Amino acid sequence: MQFSTSSRASLLCLSLIAAASLAACGGDDDYVEETPKTLQLEKIGGYSSNVFLKSAAEIPAFDAASRRAFVVNAQSGKLDVLDLSDPKNPKKVGEVNATSVLADGEVNSVAVQGGLVAVAIQAKPKTDAGRIAIYQASDLKLLGSATVGALPDMLTFTPDGKTVLVANEAEPSDDYQIDPEGSISVVDVSNPASLKVRTADFKAFNDRAAELRSKGVRLFGPNANNTGKATVAQDLEPEYIAVSPDGKTAWVTLQENNAMAIVDIASATVKDVVALGYKDHSLAANALDFADSDGKNAVIDIKVAPNVLGMYMPDAIAAYKAGDGQTYLVTANEGDARAWGENTPAYFGTAAVKATSTAPAVAAKGGDVTKGFVEEWRVKHLVHKDGFLRRAGDDLPAHLIALAKGNGGALLNPANFAWCGAIAGDPKTCRDDDKLGRLKITWTQGYQTNADGSPVWYNAAGVADPNGNRLMYDKLYAYGGRSISIWNAQGTQVWDSGAAIEQFLASDECKLGAKRDIACKTYFNTGHDATAKLDARSSAKGPEPEGLTIGTIGSKTFAFVGLERMGGVIVFDITDPKAAKRVDYLNTREDWTASFDDATPPALAKVGDLGPEGLAFIPARQSPNGKPLLLVGNEVSGSTAVIQLNLSY
């Protein structure tokens, strides 16, 4: 960071900014920031809740005037307030308890602007309407609150600070008997004591389901009583919001639907729902490591997978204006499956029982579709020459067996999957663990269908047969893009990082730990909540880019991306939206050899930061130490990291 030194006023402004007194400098007009050639991340401080694996540090936000950080603590259901006057030594100075606004309410998200702290509060049960509350950052005084939609999951201010947008995710109940409608609340916060709420909903799209499906929007959930399909408004689940620099338009990720909504803020209207398409893993640029068990020993094996497609399914999204004057969107392509009732045995059916001297044999049967909805399954369980019921009583989704005519099953089209060994009537070695066997996919799409959407049936020999009971999969759809993407304002992709993140993690260049002295490839695609294990997440969503924030320094714009499973923050220079470049990576997990699991948590003070969830960029002009900072909420280790951006010119 550098300032213009053409006048004494500029030098005075430097000291005032360091004292968080930007207003005394006459605003941003007196602030000149030099453009760096590059940057490097350095962890300079942190705060630990000392709570493991209970999401005790999720979403951070910062108020420059009070020098306070606000961090969502899902474990307590509250908002932790940290004094960040000394970024090297954050201290907890208070908390916000949502129950004063909504009985049994839990804080889900936070946003800060202009001395106001906006908090999203989910109800209990989560299918009831939630609330938004506005607090004063300096003293945590409650200024006002209002009702919004079900499960408000994320919220953000418009640039002028007059409006807060809330993504009401509206997840169903665990048994899928209650499924509220997703929506976006548009809240006028000009007078915090009297909030005005309007709702941008999806009701106008309820009679356009066929049109949306034809565009590629994933609409696949059951309705509330499991007798048919959910309405479009029920099926769409808003996840994260980005706002245009002019404050007129919002883009909302619909993660499970692999889509985004475009919202006109002035009219509080959803103007369009855009499908994001699929990532073709047959292309070398989109190669991936899709096996977590390559024979006896796990190995790094990044390669193509013909007819395997990645569903981008972004979580976080941010908007920025590029040098061409156009607004672009950057997304972290995490991926997320619908899995409700996965801990309910009745949903998965009853296994076959052999006859005994005192009891007759009992045939295997599918489960109860009214007890949940699970779409995720490993390839080896989906495609097997002996059909589905061999998995009854274990992990066989009730909806799948209902679709497949009782003792049905599924096959891989040998024309598309001969590369891994499939033949007519038998997937063969495609099911092996070092092939596609352990890859997690959705069973809800990829099989052949008729014009009306019903399955084209095959018999056990792999021959088309109207009386058959086998689904024929031409393609397999995996979760997440293992990447970040940049899209134009209409939702058309202009750049994707492809295989770059996994390739970097597998390279000699990549290092782990604050000292950057541990080889990444030793722990490639490890998990975040158990003993570090090479390749552990390759069959799922890989490093899992989830959280994201952007920051502008001089004339450059950077994207800071949290890799939820592998851990750490990877930085891209996105100044040119069509040619983004990786800049740096810092992973502050320190102990990669300690043995621990859910039952035996690690010594958090020694293990470092696990599971980055949310990130917040603090520009130099607002920073307590006059240097750009990054706050990272790590949900698994329950810690908030303070990272300094060291700039090179």
Side-chain angles (χ1 to χ4, degrees):
M1 178 191 68
Q2 293 187 4
F3 297 87
S4 170
T5 56
S6 59
S7 69
R8 178 178 295 181
S10 295
L11 293 174
L12 175 61
C13 188
L14 173 61
S15 63
L16 291 171
I17 290 173
S21 301
L22 180 62
C25 300
D28 286 355
D29 292 343
D30 293 328
Y31 177 82
V32 179
E33 187 172 37
E34 186 176 354
T35 300
K37 290 182 180 179
T38 189
L39 61 80
Q40 187 175 63
L41 305 179
E42 177 191 7
K43 181 178 177 180
I44 62 170
Y47 170 80
S48 178
S49 67
N50 293 312
V51 177
F52 175 65
L53 202 59
K54 294 186 178 180
S55 299
E58 287 193 333
I59 310 300
F62 178 71
D63 176 62
S66 65
R67 300 184 183 181
R68 287 179 162 184
F70 300 84
V71 183
V72 173
N73 184 332
Q75 183 270 335
S76 68
K78 302 175 183 178
L79 189 67
D80 288 343
V81 183
L82 308 180
D83 180 359
L84 214 66
S85 297
D86 178 2
K88 295 182 179 181
N89 296 288
K91 297 178 181 178
K92 184 176 178 180
V93 294
E95 59 186 24
V96 172
N97 190 339
T99 58
S100 63
V101 173
L102 181 62
D104 296 322
E106 297 180 1
V107 174
N108 257 356
S109 191
V110 61
V112 174
Q113 188 162 323
L116 299 181
V117 181
V119 177
I121 306 169
Q122 79 171 61
K124 188 176 182 179
K126 66 178 181 179
T127 51
D128 286 354
R131 290 186 72 81
I132 178 178
I134 304 295
Y135 295 86
Q136 194 159 273
S138 59
D139 58 7
L140 307 183
K141 178 183 178 181
L142 176 64
L143 301 179
S145 68
T147 299
V148 290
L151 192 61
D153 189 46
M154 182 269 177
L155 75 177
T156 188
F157 282 88
T158 54
D160 63 7
K162 296 180 180 179
T163 302
V164 172
L165 304 179
V166 186
N168 303 307
E169 188 172 11
E171 289 177 349
S173 58
D174 196 58
D175 60 4
Y176 236 108
Q177 294 305 290
I178 303 173
D179 188 7
E181 295 183 351
S183 64
I184 299 95
S185 294
V186 181
V187 186
D188 183 344
V189 297
S190 299
N191 179 5
S194 181
L195 303 178
K196 299 178 181 178
V197 180
R198 295 175 297 153
T199 302
D201 60 38
F202 296 96
K203 288 184 172 67
F205 293 88
N206 281 342
D207 60 358
R208 297 170 60 183
E211 172 194 343
L212 293 178
R213 286 193 182 97
S214 69
K215 290 166 55 176
V217 177
R218 298 185 75 228
L219 300 173
F220 61 98
N223 64 5
N225 58 16
N226 280 276
T227 59
K229 296 291 186 182
T231 66
V232 172
Q234 288 175 317
D235 208 285
L236 298 179
E237 297 182 2
E239 184 80 25
Y240 212 98
I241 304 173
V243 180
S244 62
D246 63 10
K248 295 181 179 180
T249 305
W251 295 267
V252 184
T253 56
L254 307 170
Q255 188 172 25
E256 292 81 357
N257 311 100
N258 196 34
M260 73 168 68
I262 302 177
V263 178
D264 178 72
I265 296 174
S267 63
T269 303
V270 178
K271 292 298 185 182
D272 199 6
V273 176
V274 180
L276 297 180
Y278 300 98
K279 189 166 186 171
D280 185 354
H281 289 303
S282 71
L283 303 177
N286 294 335
L288 75 166
D289 188 333
F290 51 80
D292 61 6
S293 299
D294 307 285
K296 292 184 179 180
N297 299 307
V299 298
I300 300 172
D301 190 12
I302 300 172
K303 58 188 178 183
V304 298
N307 296 299
V308 175
L309 302 177
M311 300 178 285
Y312 291 101
M313 293 180 154
D315 187 329
I317 183 172
Y320 72 106
K321 182 174 286 187
D324 61 4
Q326 301 300 308
T327 296
Y328 292 89
L329 313 167
V330 57
T331 59
N333 302 322
E334 178 197 20
D336 195 18
R338 282 187 174 146
W340 305 107
E342 57 186 334
N343 296 316
T344 305
Y347 179 74
F348 296 103
T350 304
V353 178
K354 294 182 179 180
T356 67
S357 59
T358 58
V362 177
K365 65 178 181 179
D368 185 346
V369 296
T370 69
K371 300 300 183 182
F373 180 81
V374 177
E375 64 157 320
E376 182 181 70
W377 224 21
R378 294 192 191 275
V379 172
K380 66 188 297 182
H381 300 326
L382 176 67
V383 293
H384 191 290
K385 63 182 180 61
D386 295 335
F388 293 144
L389 284 182
R390 73 193 192 285
R391 303 293 302 183
D394 189 343
D395 58 358
L396 173 62
H399 289 85
L400 178 57
I401 193 61
L403 171 69
K405 298 182 177 181
N407 189 25
L411 300 169
L412 292 178
N413 187 339
N416 294 355
F417 292 97
W419 66 269
C420 58
I423 63 173
D426 194 342
K428 289 287 187 179
T429 53
C430 289
R431 297 183 61 256
D432 290 354
D433 287 353
D434 62 345
K435 299 281 195 321
L436 290 172
R438 288 184 54 78
L439 179 64
K440 292 183 177 180
I441 60 165
T442 178
W443 59 261
T444 65
Q445 61 193 102
Y447 57 85
Q448 294 179 17
T449 60
N450 298 303
D452 63 358
S454 63
V456 174
W457 293 109
Y458 283 72
N459 60 32
V463 177
D465 181 355
N467 296 316
N469 63 358
R470 295 293 194 270
L471 303 169
M472 181 62 73
Y473 281 82
D474 288 337
K475 298 182 185 299
L476 299 174
Y477 290 82
Y479 296 97
R482 307 188 184 200
S483 64
I484 68 166
S485 295
I486 298 177
W487 318 76
N488 66 18
Q490 291 72 47
T492 300
Q493 189 181 95
V494 299
W495 180 84
D496 183 78
S497 63
I501 294 178
E502 280 193 311
Q503 288 172 339
F504 170 67
L505 295 174
S507 72
D508 291 332
E509 179 184 357
C510 183
K511 302 295 182 182
L512 303 170
K515 296 181 180 179
R516 305 180 188 234
D517 56 357
I518 304 169
C520 291
K521 62 183 181 182
T522 304
Y523 301 101
F524 172 82
N525 274 357
T526 191
H528 62 355
D529 57 359
T531 305
K533 182 181 178 183
L534 172 67
D535 223 21
R537 297 296 302 176
S538 291
S539 66
K541 294 175 280 187
E544 214 162 312
E546 179 184 17
L548 175 150
T549 191
I550 61 175
T552 297
I553 305 174
S555 61
K556 287 187 176 182
T557 301
F558 298 91
F560 305 91
V561 185
L563 304 182
E564 182 181 12
R565 299 290 176 163
M566 182 68 188
V569 177
I570 192 166
V571 187
F572 289 86
D573 181 341
I574 59 171
T575 306
D576 180 351
K578 298 179 181 179
K581 300 176 182 178
R582 178 179 50 80
V583 173
D584 195 27
Y585 174 64
L586 178 66
N587 189 322
T588 50
R589 177 175 182 169
E590 297 300 337
D591 191 335
W592 293 81
T593 60
S595 296
F596 66 88
D597 55 28
D598 296 1
T600 58
L604 294 177
K606 295 180 179 179
V607 78
D609 300 307
L610 306 172
E613 174 80 4
L615 304 92
F617 173 73
I618 303 175
R621 63 183 178 275
Q622 296 178 0
S623 171
N625 69 356
K627 297 182 179 181
L629 302 175
L630 189 69
L631 299 181
V632 183
N634 298 282
E635 63 173 341
V636 174
S637 56
S639 56
T640 303
V642 181
I643 296 175
Q644 184 170 286
L645 280 54
N646 296 325
L647 309 179
S648 300
Y649 298 95

